[in-house]
Amino acid sequence: MQLKKWLIVTLSIMLPMPMLFAIGSLLPRTWRTHAQVGCQYKVCVTQTDIHTNLVVPVQNDAFNWQNYLPKPVTRSQYIGFGWGERNWYMNPPARLEDIVPRGFRALFLPNPAALRVQALDRLSDRDEVKCIPVERSRYLALMQFIKQSFQRTEQGFLVPLTDSTSGTIFYEATGRYSLVRNSNHWTAEGLKIANVNTPLWAGLSWAIMHHVEASCRSPQ
């Protein structure tokens, strides 16, 4: 009898969750009306499968990533940032039978995170891209958010996890990856700082893209 009662309570909690996630994905976190600003300072959001990333110019008159990152990832016009579960991000499962156990661990256990930093002259044709203008102060706040997402040593140095002489470098990141804070939540946190609309529940990549209203030309 106790088992039956436990099952009923568990199912009553779990079954509404997909519906709540769907509603949260469609509803905006806040109802914002944006001031009309030009594209001098713009942020691009890209979607590749289940992940979203932030793409910004390597440098402009507000901020220069060449002062913080090595030349291989700042040699192009744009630079992309993505935050994710370290093991999955750096070593995606190659076999179908590995996806479920590794996916379960990534979602339901707190795991170390990594930042992927990419030099970009153009974006892949398989990426969905939306670019948004932001105010200068918001742009600088977003750059600070990205900087603070890098884990640092006691001496203040970044911690590369892969070869730092290539155009894509993984770094140790702050925070722990889990169901309640995945790669898309990180993107949404940055967009919120930049005063860009984000979903009430930001766990899905399509939810992020649904709320971003593109009005600037994307990198080609």
Side-chain angles (χ1 to χ4, degrees), residues 95-131:
R95 301 182 305 171
L96 185 61
E97 56 265 33
D98 293 333
I99 292 178
V100 173
R102 288 183 59 184
F104 181 88
R105 176 180 176 81
L107 289 175
F108 295 103
L109 295 175
N111 299 287
L115 264 177
R116 182 179 63 188
V117 184
Q118 295 177 287
L120 297 169
D121 280 320
R122 62 184 301 276
L123 300 179
S124 170
D125 293 336
R126 64 190 292 261
D127 290 334
E128 182 182 359
V129 185
K130 289 187 175 181
C131 298

PDB file of all heavy atoms in Angstrom, residues 95-131:
ATOM      1  N   ARG A  95      29.102   6.543 -29.496  1.00  0.00           N
ATOM      2  CA  ARG A  95      28.243   5.378 -29.627  1.00  0.00           C
ATOM      3  C   ARG A  95      26.884   5.649 -28.992  1.00  0.00           C
ATOM      4  O   ARG A  95      26.793   6.316 -27.972  1.00  0.00           O
ATOM      5  CB  ARG A  95      28.889   4.163 -28.963  1.00  0.00           C
ATOM      6  CG  ARG A  95      30.246   3.777 -29.538  1.00  0.00           C
ATOM      7  CD  ARG A  95      30.776   2.525 -28.851  1.00  0.00           C
ATOM      8  NE  ARG A  95      30.827   2.691 -27.408  1.00  0.00           N
ATOM      9  CZ  ARG A  95      31.087   1.695 -26.560  1.00  0.00           C
ATOM     10  NH1 ARG A  95      31.299   0.473 -27.020  1.00  0.00           N
ATOM     11  NH2 ARG A  95      31.124   1.931 -25.253  1.00  0.00           N
ATOM     12  N   LEU A  96      25.844   5.108 -29.610  1.00  0.00           N
ATOM     13  CA  LEU A  96      24.490   5.326 -29.135  1.00  0.00           C
ATOM     14  C   LEU A  96      24.311   4.834 -27.705  1.00  0.00           C
ATOM     15  O   LEU A  96      23.637   5.477 -26.889  1.00  0.00           O
ATOM     16  CB  LEU A  96      23.495   4.610 -30.063  1.00  0.00           C
ATOM     17  CG  LEU A  96      22.009   4.834 -29.774  1.00  0.00           C
ATOM     18  CD1 LEU A  96      21.657   6.302 -29.915  1.00  0.00           C
ATOM     19  CD2 LEU A  96      21.145   3.985 -30.708  1.00  0.00           C
ATOM     20  N   GLU A  97      24.938   3.700 -27.369  1.00  0.00           N
ATOM     21  CA  GLU A  97      24.768   3.136 -26.031  1.00  0.00           C
ATOM     22  C   GLU A  97      25.429   3.983 -24.944  1.00  0.00           C
ATOM     23  O   GLU A  97      25.180   3.768 -23.749  1.00  0.00           O
ATOM     24  CB  GLU A  97      25.322   1.708 -25.973  1.00  0.00           C
ATOM     25  CG  GLU A  97      26.767   1.570 -26.385  1.00  0.00           C
ATOM     26  CD  GLU A  97      26.927   1.192 -27.849  1.00  0.00           C
ATOM     27  OE1 GLU A  97      26.079   1.627 -28.656  1.00  0.00           O
ATOM     28  OE2 GLU A  97      27.885   0.470 -28.170  1.00  0.00           O
ATOM     29  N   ASP A  98      26.282   4.924 -25.345  1.00  0.00           N
ATOM     30  CA  ASP A  98      26.926   5.792 -24.353  1.00  0.00           C
ATOM     31  C   ASP A  98      26.091   7.033 -24.032  1.00  0.00           C
ATOM     32  O   ASP A  98      26.331   7.709 -23.030  1.00  0.00           O
ATOM     33  CB  ASP A  98      28.294   6.245 -24.851  1.00  0.00           C
ATOM     34  CG  ASP A  98      29.279   5.095 -24.961  1.00  0.00           C
ATOM     35  OD1 ASP A  98      29.104   4.114 -24.213  1.00  0.00           O
ATOM     36  OD2 ASP A  98      30.204   5.174 -25.785  1.00  0.00           O
ATOM     37  N   ILE A  99      25.132   7.350 -24.897  1.00  0.00           N
ATOM     38  CA  ILE A  99      24.397   8.599 -24.753  1.00  0.00           C
ATOM     39  C   ILE A  99      23.557   8.619 -23.484  1.00  0.00           C
ATOM     40  O   ILE A  99      23.575   9.597 -22.724  1.00  0.00           O
ATOM     41  CB  ILE A  99      23.508   8.849 -25.991  1.00  0.00           C
ATOM     42  CG1 ILE A  99      24.391   9.123 -27.218  1.00  0.00           C
ATOM     43  CG2 ILE A  99      22.563  10.018 -25.753  1.00  0.00           C
ATOM     44  CD1 ILE A  99      23.612   9.335 -28.493  1.00  0.00           C
ATOM     45  N   VAL A 100      22.810   7.528 -23.226  1.00  0.00           N
ATOM     46  CA  VAL A 100      21.895   7.525 -22.079  1.00  0.00           C
ATOM     47  C   VAL A 100      22.628   7.626 -20.749  1.00  0.00           C
ATOM     48  O   VAL A 100      22.329   8.516 -19.935  1.00  0.00           O
ATOM     49  CB  VAL A 100      20.984   6.282 -22.115  1.00  0.00           C
ATOM     50  CG1 VAL A 100      20.160   6.201 -20.834  1.00  0.00           C
ATOM     51  CG2 VAL A 100      20.061   6.336 -23.326  1.00  0.00           C
ATOM     52  N   PRO A 101      23.627   6.756 -20.465  1.00  0.00           N
ATOM     53  CA  PRO A 101      24.286   6.879 -19.153  1.00  0.00           C
ATOM     54  C   PRO A 101      25.045   8.189 -18.985  1.00  0.00           C
ATOM     55  O   PRO A 101      25.023   8.789 -17.906  1.00  0.00           O
ATOM     56  CB  PRO A 101      25.227   5.668 -19.111  1.00  0.00           C
ATOM     57  CG  PRO A 101      25.407   5.249 -20.534  1.00  0.00           C
ATOM     58  CD  PRO A 101      24.127   5.588 -21.212  1.00  0.00           C
ATOM     59  N   ARG A 102      25.695   8.650 -20.049  1.00  0.00           N
ATOM     60  CA  ARG A 102      26.424   9.910 -19.930  1.00  0.00           C
ATOM     61  C   ARG A 102      25.472  11.092 -19.856  1.00  0.00           C
ATOM     62  O   ARG A 102      25.732  12.069 -19.146  1.00  0.00           O
ATOM     63  CB  ARG A 102      27.397  10.064 -21.102  1.00  0.00           C
ATOM     64  CG  ARG A 102      28.593   9.124 -21.009  1.00  0.00           C
ATOM     65  CD  ARG A 102      29.575   9.354 -22.138  1.00  0.00           C
ATOM     66  NE  ARG A 102      30.069  10.722 -22.134  1.00  0.00           N
ATOM     67  CZ  ARG A 102      30.882  11.202 -23.076  1.00  0.00           C
ATOM     68  NH1 ARG A 102      31.295  10.402 -24.052  1.00  0.00           N
ATOM     69  NH2 ARG A 102      31.299  12.447 -23.024  1.00  0.00           N
ATOM     70  N   GLY A 103      24.368  11.000 -20.582  1.00  0.00           N
ATOM     71  CA  GLY A 103      23.369  12.058 -20.521  1.00  0.00           C
ATOM     72  C   GLY A 103      22.721  12.141 -19.146  1.00  0.00           C
ATOM     73  O   GLY A 103      22.478  13.232 -18.613  1.00  0.00           O
ATOM     74  N   PHE A 104      22.447  10.980 -18.547  1.00  0.00           N
ATOM     75  CA  PHE A 104      21.867  10.948 -17.200  1.00  0.00           C
ATOM     76  C   PHE A 104      22.819  11.597 -16.199  1.00  0.00           C
ATOM     77  O   PHE A 104      22.405  12.398 -15.365  1.00  0.00           O
ATOM     78  CB  PHE A 104      21.581   9.499 -16.788  1.00  0.00           C
ATOM     79  CG  PHE A 104      20.962   9.371 -15.421  1.00  0.00           C
ATOM     80  CD1 PHE A 104      19.592   9.420 -15.258  1.00  0.00           C
ATOM     81  CD2 PHE A 104      21.770   9.214 -14.292  1.00  0.00           C
ATOM     82  CE1 PHE A 104      19.021   9.315 -13.993  1.00  0.00           C
ATOM     83  CE2 PHE A 104      21.212   9.102 -13.030  1.00  0.00           C
ATOM     84  CZ  PHE A 104      19.826   9.154 -12.888  1.00  0.00           C
ATOM     85  N   ARG A 105      24.083  11.233 -16.297  1.00  0.00           N
ATOM     86  CA  ARG A 105      25.071  11.802 -15.377  1.00  0.00           C
ATOM     87  C   ARG A 105      25.177  13.319 -15.567  1.00  0.00           C
ATOM     88  O   ARG A 105      25.247  14.073 -14.594  1.00  0.00           O
ATOM     89  CB  ARG A 105      26.434  11.157 -15.603  1.00  0.00           C
ATOM     90  CG  ARG A 105      27.540  11.759 -14.744  1.00  0.00           C
ATOM     91  CD  ARG A 105      28.890  11.104 -14.984  1.00  0.00           C
ATOM     92  NE  ARG A 105      29.924  11.768 -14.225  1.00  0.00           N
ATOM     93  CZ  ARG A 105      30.170  11.554 -12.942  1.00  0.00           C
ATOM     94  NH1 ARG A 105      29.459  10.669 -12.267  1.00  0.00           N
ATOM     95  NH2 ARG A 105      31.124  12.215 -12.313  1.00  0.00           N
ATOM     96  N   ALA A 106      25.190  13.773 -16.832  1.00  0.00           N
ATOM     97  CA  ALA A 106      25.334  15.200 -17.105  1.00  0.00           C
ATOM     98  C   ALA A 106      24.155  15.997 -16.561  1.00  0.00           C
ATOM     99  O   ALA A 106      24.323  17.109 -16.045  1.00  0.00           O
ATOM    100  CB  ALA A 106      25.478  15.431 -18.604  1.00  0.00           C
ATOM    101  N   LEU A 107      22.940  15.428 -16.646  1.00  0.00           N
ATOM    102  CA  LEU A 107      21.751  16.166 -16.261  1.00  0.00           C
ATOM    103  C   LEU A 107      21.448  16.097 -14.770  1.00  0.00           C
ATOM    104  O   LEU A 107      20.997  17.071 -14.174  1.00  0.00           O
ATOM    105  CB  LEU A 107      20.542  15.655 -17.048  1.00  0.00           C
ATOM    106  CG  LEU A 107      20.511  15.993 -18.538  1.00  0.00           C
ATOM    107  CD1 LEU A 107      19.321  15.323 -19.206  1.00  0.00           C
ATOM    108  CD2 LEU A 107      20.458  17.503 -18.761  1.00  0.00           C
ATOM    109  N   PHE A 108      21.685  14.945 -14.162  1.00  0.00           N
ATOM    110  CA  PHE A 108      21.193  14.737 -12.809  1.00  0.00           C
ATOM    111  C   PHE A 108      22.280  14.748 -11.736  1.00  0.00           C
ATOM    112  O   PHE A 108      21.982  14.587 -10.560  1.00  0.00           O
ATOM    113  CB  PHE A 108      20.402  13.428 -12.747  1.00  0.00           C
ATOM    114  CG  PHE A 108      19.154  13.469 -13.591  1.00  0.00           C
ATOM    115  CD1 PHE A 108      19.107  12.824 -14.817  1.00  0.00           C
ATOM    116  CD2 PHE A 108      18.042  14.181 -13.167  1.00  0.00           C
ATOM    117  CE1 PHE A 108      17.967  12.874 -15.601  1.00  0.00           C
ATOM    118  CE2 PHE A 108      16.892  14.238 -13.947  1.00  0.00           C
ATOM    119  CZ  PHE A 108      16.856  13.586 -15.168  1.00  0.00           C
ATOM    120  N   LEU A 109      23.520  14.929 -12.146  1.00  0.00           N
ATOM    121  CA  LEU A 109      24.599  15.087 -11.180  1.00  0.00           C
ATOM    122  C   LEU A 109      25.321  16.407 -11.470  1.00  0.00           C
ATOM    123  O   LEU A 109      25.453  16.790 -12.633  1.00  0.00           O
ATOM    124  CB  LEU A 109      25.588  13.916 -11.278  1.00  0.00           C
ATOM    125  CG  LEU A 109      25.047  12.532 -10.911  1.00  0.00           C
ATOM    126  CD1 LEU A 109      26.105  11.479 -11.184  1.00  0.00           C
ATOM    127  CD2 LEU A 109      24.593  12.483  -9.459  1.00  0.00           C
ATOM    128  N   PRO A 110      25.772  17.119 -10.445  1.00  0.00           N
ATOM    129  CA  PRO A 110      26.531  18.351 -10.698  1.00  0.00           C
ATOM    130  C   PRO A 110      27.920  18.018 -11.255  1.00  0.00           C
ATOM    131  O   PRO A 110      28.693  17.314 -10.615  1.00  0.00           O
ATOM    132  CB  PRO A 110      26.612  19.010  -9.314  1.00  0.00           C
ATOM    133  CG  PRO A 110      26.461  17.877  -8.349  1.00  0.00           C
ATOM    134  CD  PRO A 110      25.584  16.857  -9.007  1.00  0.00           C
ATOM    135  N   ASN A 111      28.204  18.491 -12.445  1.00  0.00           N
ATOM    136  CA  ASN A 111      29.435  18.124 -13.142  1.00  0.00           C
ATOM    137  C   ASN A 111      30.290  19.345 -13.433  1.00  0.00           C
ATOM    138  O   ASN A 111      29.767  20.455 -13.601  1.00  0.00           O
ATOM    139  CB  ASN A 111      29.094  17.419 -14.460  1.00  0.00           C
ATOM    140  CG  ASN A 111      28.308  16.149 -14.241  1.00  0.00           C
ATOM    141  OD1 ASN A 111      28.840  15.156 -13.799  1.00  0.00           O
ATOM    142  ND2 ASN A 111      27.016  16.188 -14.544  1.00  0.00           N
ATOM    143  N   PRO A 112      31.614  19.167 -13.548  1.00  0.00           N
ATOM    144  CA  PRO A 112      32.486  20.291 -13.910  1.00  0.00           C
ATOM    145  C   PRO A 112      32.101  20.856 -15.273  1.00  0.00           C
ATOM    146  O   PRO A 112      31.658  20.124 -16.163  1.00  0.00           O
ATOM    147  CB  PRO A 112      33.877  19.660 -13.944  1.00  0.00           C
ATOM    148  CG  PRO A 112      33.773  18.413 -13.143  1.00  0.00           C
ATOM    149  CD  PRO A 112      32.374  17.927 -13.314  1.00  0.00           C
ATOM    150  N   ALA A 113      32.277  22.143 -15.434  1.00  0.00           N
ATOM    151  CA  ALA A 113      31.911  22.819 -16.674  1.00  0.00           C
ATOM    152  C   ALA A 113      33.147  23.265 -17.437  1.00  0.00           C
ATOM    153  O   ALA A 113      34.235  23.384 -16.885  1.00  0.00           O
ATOM    154  CB  ALA A 113      31.024  24.028 -16.371  1.00  0.00           C
ATOM    155  N   ALA A 114      32.948  23.503 -18.734  1.00  0.00           N
ATOM    156  CA  ALA A 114      34.017  24.012 -19.598  1.00  0.00           C
ATOM    157  C   ALA A 114      33.465  25.129 -20.462  1.00  0.00           C
ATOM    158  O   ALA A 114      32.275  25.165 -20.782  1.00  0.00           O
ATOM    159  CB  ALA A 114      34.574  22.897 -20.480  1.00  0.00           C
ATOM    160  N   LEU A 115      34.328  26.056 -20.817  1.00  0.00           N
ATOM    161  CA  LEU A 115      34.005  27.099 -21.782  1.00  0.00           C
ATOM    162  C   LEU A 115      34.704  26.779 -23.092  1.00  0.00           C
ATOM    163  O   LEU A 115      35.916  26.543 -23.110  1.00  0.00           O
ATOM    164  CB  LEU A 115      34.471  28.462 -21.285  1.00  0.00           C
ATOM    165  CG  LEU A 115      33.470  29.365 -20.569  1.00  0.00           C
ATOM    166  CD1 LEU A 115      34.167  30.635 -20.111  1.00  0.00           C
ATOM    167  CD2 LEU A 115      32.287  29.713 -21.460  1.00  0.00           C
ATOM    168  N   ARG A 116      33.935  26.757 -24.173  1.00  0.00           N
ATOM    169  CA  ARG A 116      34.529  26.580 -25.501  1.00  0.00           C
ATOM    170  C   ARG A 116      34.642  27.950 -26.151  1.00  0.00           C
ATOM    171  O   ARG A 116      33.671  28.694 -26.243  1.00  0.00           O
ATOM    172  CB  ARG A 116      33.667  25.663 -26.377  1.00  0.00           C
ATOM    173  CG  ARG A 116      34.282  25.414 -27.753  1.00  0.00           C
ATOM    174  CD  ARG A 116      33.412  24.489 -28.571  1.00  0.00           C
ATOM    175  NE  ARG A 116      32.113  25.086 -28.838  1.00  0.00           N
ATOM    176  CZ  ARG A 116      31.102  24.417 -29.398  1.00  0.00           C
ATOM    177  NH1 ARG A 116      31.233  23.142 -29.697  1.00  0.00           N
ATOM    178  NH2 ARG A 116      29.947  25.022 -29.609  1.00  0.00           N
ATOM    179  N   VAL A 117      35.856  28.277 -26.596  1.00  0.00           N
ATOM    180  CA  VAL A 117      36.128  29.565 -27.214  1.00  0.00           C
ATOM    181  C   VAL A 117      36.589  29.304 -28.642  1.00  0.00           C
ATOM    182  O   VAL A 117      37.542  28.545 -28.868  1.00  0.00           O
ATOM    183  CB  VAL A 117      37.210  30.340 -26.434  1.00  0.00           C
ATOM    184  CG1 VAL A 117      37.423  31.715 -27.034  1.00  0.00           C
ATOM    185  CG2 VAL A 117      36.820  30.455 -24.963  1.00  0.00           C
ATOM    186  N   GLN A 118      35.926  29.931 -29.614  1.00  0.00           N
ATOM    187  CA  GLN A 118      36.195  29.656 -31.032  1.00  0.00           C
ATOM    188  C   GLN A 118      36.453  30.938 -31.813  1.00  0.00           C
ATOM    189  O   GLN A 118      35.723  31.923 -31.668  1.00  0.00           O
ATOM    190  CB  GLN A 118      35.012  28.936 -31.675  1.00  0.00           C
ATOM    191  CG  GLN A 118      34.729  27.549 -31.140  1.00  0.00           C
ATOM    192  CD  GLN A 118      33.501  26.966 -31.797  1.00  0.00           C
ATOM    193  OE1 GLN A 118      32.377  27.369 -31.519  1.00  0.00           O
ATOM    194  NE2 GLN A 118      33.700  26.019 -32.693  1.00  0.00           N
ATOM    195  N   ALA A 119      37.486  30.899 -32.657  1.00  0.00           N
ATOM    196  CA  ALA A 119      37.698  31.967 -33.622  1.00  0.00           C
ATOM    197  C   ALA A 119      36.743  31.748 -34.792  1.00  0.00           C
ATOM    198  O   ALA A 119      36.621  30.634 -35.303  1.00  0.00           O
ATOM    199  CB  ALA A 119      39.139  31.942 -34.118  1.00  0.00           C
ATOM    200  N   LEU A 120      36.041  32.809 -35.218  1.00  0.00           N
ATOM    201  CA  LEU A 120      35.024  32.670 -36.257  1.00  0.00           C
ATOM    202  C   LEU A 120      35.156  33.782 -37.297  1.00  0.00           C
ATOM    203  O   LEU A 120      35.041  34.960 -36.965  1.00  0.00           O
ATOM    204  CB  LEU A 120      33.622  32.713 -35.643  1.00  0.00           C
ATOM    205  CG  LEU A 120      33.252  31.599 -34.649  1.00  0.00           C
ATOM    206  CD1 LEU A 120      31.959  31.950 -33.940  1.00  0.00           C
ATOM    207  CD2 LEU A 120      33.129  30.272 -35.381  1.00  0.00           C
ATOM    208  N   ASP A 121      35.409  33.387 -38.530  1.00  0.00           N
ATOM    209  CA  ASP A 121      35.300  34.335 -39.638  1.00  0.00           C
ATOM    210  C   ASP A 121      33.881  34.333 -40.178  1.00  0.00           C
ATOM    211  O   ASP A 121      33.355  35.354 -40.610  1.00  0.00           O
ATOM    212  CB  ASP A 121      36.283  33.963 -40.753  1.00  0.00           C
ATOM    213  CG  ASP A 121      37.690  34.443 -40.444  1.00  0.00           C
ATOM    214  OD1 ASP A 121      37.817  35.562 -39.915  1.00  0.00           O
ATOM    215  OD2 ASP A 121      38.641  33.701 -40.705  1.00  0.00           O
ATOM    216  N   ARG A 122      33.281  33.165 -40.184  1.00  0.00           N
ATOM    217  CA  ARG A 122      31.895  33.008 -40.604  1.00  0.00           C
ATOM    218  C   ARG A 122      31.290  31.873 -39.801  1.00  0.00           C
ATOM    219  O   ARG A 122      31.998  31.083 -39.192  1.00  0.00           O
ATOM    220  CB  ARG A 122      31.793  32.704 -42.110  1.00  0.00           C
ATOM    221  CG  ARG A 122      32.462  31.406 -42.526  1.00  0.00           C
ATOM    222  CD  ARG A 122      32.399  31.215 -44.040  1.00  0.00           C
ATOM    223  NE  ARG A 122      31.047  31.189 -44.518  1.00  0.00           N
ATOM    224  CZ  ARG A 122      30.269  30.095 -44.529  1.00  0.00           C
ATOM    225  NH1 ARG A 122      30.734  28.951 -44.040  1.00  0.00           N
ATOM    226  NH2 ARG A 122      29.049  30.148 -44.986  1.00  0.00           N
ATOM    227  N   LEU A 123      29.971  31.811 -39.788  1.00  0.00           N
ATOM    228  CA  LEU A 123      29.285  30.786 -39.030  1.00  0.00           C
ATOM    229  C   LEU A 123      28.866  29.642 -39.933  1.00  0.00           C
ATOM    230  O   LEU A 123      28.637  29.822 -41.131  1.00  0.00           O
ATOM    231  CB  LEU A 123      28.068  31.380 -38.330  1.00  0.00           C
ATOM    232  CG  LEU A 123      28.387  32.508 -37.354  1.00  0.00           C
ATOM    233  CD1 LEU A 123      27.119  33.038 -36.724  1.00  0.00           C
ATOM    234  CD2 LEU A 123      29.338  32.031 -36.278  1.00  0.00           C
ATOM    235  N   SER A 124      28.764  28.471 -39.360  1.00  0.00           N
ATOM    236  CA  SER A 124      28.390  27.286 -40.112  1.00  0.00           C
ATOM    237  C   SER A 124      26.980  27.428 -40.669  1.00  0.00           C
ATOM    238  O   SER A 124      26.092  28.019 -40.037  1.00  0.00           O
ATOM    239  CB  SER A 124      28.471  26.050 -39.214  1.00  0.00           C
ATOM    240  OG  SER A 124      27.893  24.930 -39.845  1.00  0.00           O
ATOM    241  N   ASP A 125      26.762  26.861 -41.855  1.00  0.00           N
ATOM    242  CA  ASP A 125      25.441  26.912 -42.475  1.00  0.00           C
ATOM    243  C   ASP A 125      24.408  26.131 -41.674  1.00  0.00           C
ATOM    244  O   ASP A 125      23.205  26.348 -41.833  1.00  0.00           O
ATOM    245  CB  ASP A 125      25.510  26.354 -43.905  1.00  0.00           C
ATOM    246  CG  ASP A 125      26.334  27.229 -44.828  1.00  0.00           C
ATOM    247  OD1 ASP A 125      26.450  28.432 -44.530  1.00  0.00           O
ATOM    248  OD2 ASP A 125      26.858  26.718 -45.831  1.00  0.00           O
ATOM    249  N   ARG A 126      24.867  25.226 -40.814  1.00  0.00           N
ATOM    250  CA  ARG A 126      23.924  24.436 -40.026  1.00  0.00           C
ATOM    251  C   ARG A 126      23.513  25.141 -38.743  1.00  0.00           C
ATOM    252  O   ARG A 126      22.669  24.655 -37.996  1.00  0.00           O
ATOM    253  CB  ARG A 126      24.520  23.060 -39.701  1.00  0.00           C
ATOM    254  CG  ARG A 126      25.759  23.083 -38.827  1.00  0.00           C
ATOM    255  CD  ARG A 126      26.399  21.706 -38.765  1.00  0.00           C
ATOM    256  NE  ARG A 126      25.582  20.740 -38.062  1.00  0.00           N
ATOM    257  CZ  ARG A 126      25.757  20.373 -36.799  1.00  0.00           C
ATOM    258  NH1 ARG A 126      26.756  20.902 -36.105  1.00  0.00           N
ATOM    259  NH2 ARG A 126      24.975  19.490 -36.224  1.00  0.00           N
ATOM    260  N   ASP A 127      24.112  26.296 -38.480  1.00  0.00           N
ATOM    261  CA  ASP A 127      23.743  27.062 -37.289  1.00  0.00           C
ATOM    262  C   ASP A 127      22.602  28.016 -37.600  1.00  0.00           C
ATOM    263  O   ASP A 127      22.588  28.655 -38.662  1.00  0.00           O
ATOM    264  CB  ASP A 127      24.932  27.882 -36.779  1.00  0.00           C
ATOM    265  CG  ASP A 127      26.030  27.024 -36.187  1.00  0.00           C
ATOM    266  OD1 ASP A 127      25.717  25.919 -35.714  1.00  0.00           O
ATOM    267  OD2 ASP A 127      27.191  27.454 -36.210  1.00  0.00           O
ATOM    268  N   GLU A 128      21.660  28.115 -36.687  1.00  0.00           N
ATOM    269  CA  GLU A 128      20.693  29.205 -36.732  1.00  0.00           C
ATOM    270  C   GLU A 128      21.321  30.387 -36.013  1.00  0.00           C
ATOM    271  O   GLU A 128      21.901  30.224 -34.935  1.00  0.00           O
ATOM    272  CB  GLU A 128      19.383  28.815 -36.065  1.00  0.00           C
ATOM    273  CG  GLU A 128      18.342  29.921 -36.133  1.00  0.00           C
ATOM    274  CD  GLU A 128      17.043  29.577 -35.437  1.00  0.00           C
ATOM    275  OE1 GLU A 128      16.940  28.446 -34.911  1.00  0.00           O
ATOM    276  OE2 GLU A 128      16.139  30.441 -35.402  1.00  0.00           O
ATOM    277  N   VAL A 129      21.238  31.568 -36.600  1.00  0.00           N
ATOM    278  CA  VAL A 129      21.921  32.746 -36.049  1.00  0.00           C
ATOM    279  C   VAL A 129      20.941  33.903 -35.929  1.00  0.00           C
ATOM    280  O   VAL A 129      20.192  34.199 -36.861  1.00  0.00           O
ATOM    281  CB  VAL A 129      23.102  33.177 -36.945  1.00  0.00           C
ATOM    282  CG1 VAL A 129      23.863  34.322 -36.287  1.00  0.00           C
ATOM    283  CG2 VAL A 129      24.020  32.018 -37.240  1.00  0.00           C
ATOM    284  N   LYS A 130      20.959  34.560 -34.774  1.00  0.00           N
ATOM    285  CA  LYS A 130      20.191  35.780 -34.578  1.00  0.00           C
ATOM    286  C   LYS A 130      21.088  36.794 -33.881  1.00  0.00           C
ATOM    287  O   LYS A 130      21.734  36.475 -32.883  1.00  0.00           O
ATOM    288  CB  LYS A 130      18.939  35.516 -33.742  1.00  0.00           C
ATOM    289  CG  LYS A 130      17.869  34.709 -34.468  1.00  0.00           C
ATOM    290  CD  LYS A 130      16.590  34.629 -33.638  1.00  0.00           C
ATOM    291  CE  LYS A 130      15.481  33.937 -34.397  1.00  0.00           C
ATOM    292  NZ  LYS A 130      14.217  33.888 -33.594  1.00  0.00           N
ATOM    293  N   CYS A 131      21.110  38.023 -34.404  1.00  0.00           N
ATOM    294  CA  CYS A 131      21.958  39.077 -33.848  1.00  0.00           C
ATOM    295  C   CYS A 131      21.100  40.236 -33.360  1.00  0.00           C
ATOM    296  O   CYS A 131      20.149  40.644 -34.038  1.00  0.00           O
ATOM    297  CB  CYS A 131      22.967  39.561 -34.887  1.00  0.00           C
ATOM    298  SG  CYS A 131      24.119  38.273 -35.428  1.00  0.00           S
TER     299      CYS A 131
END
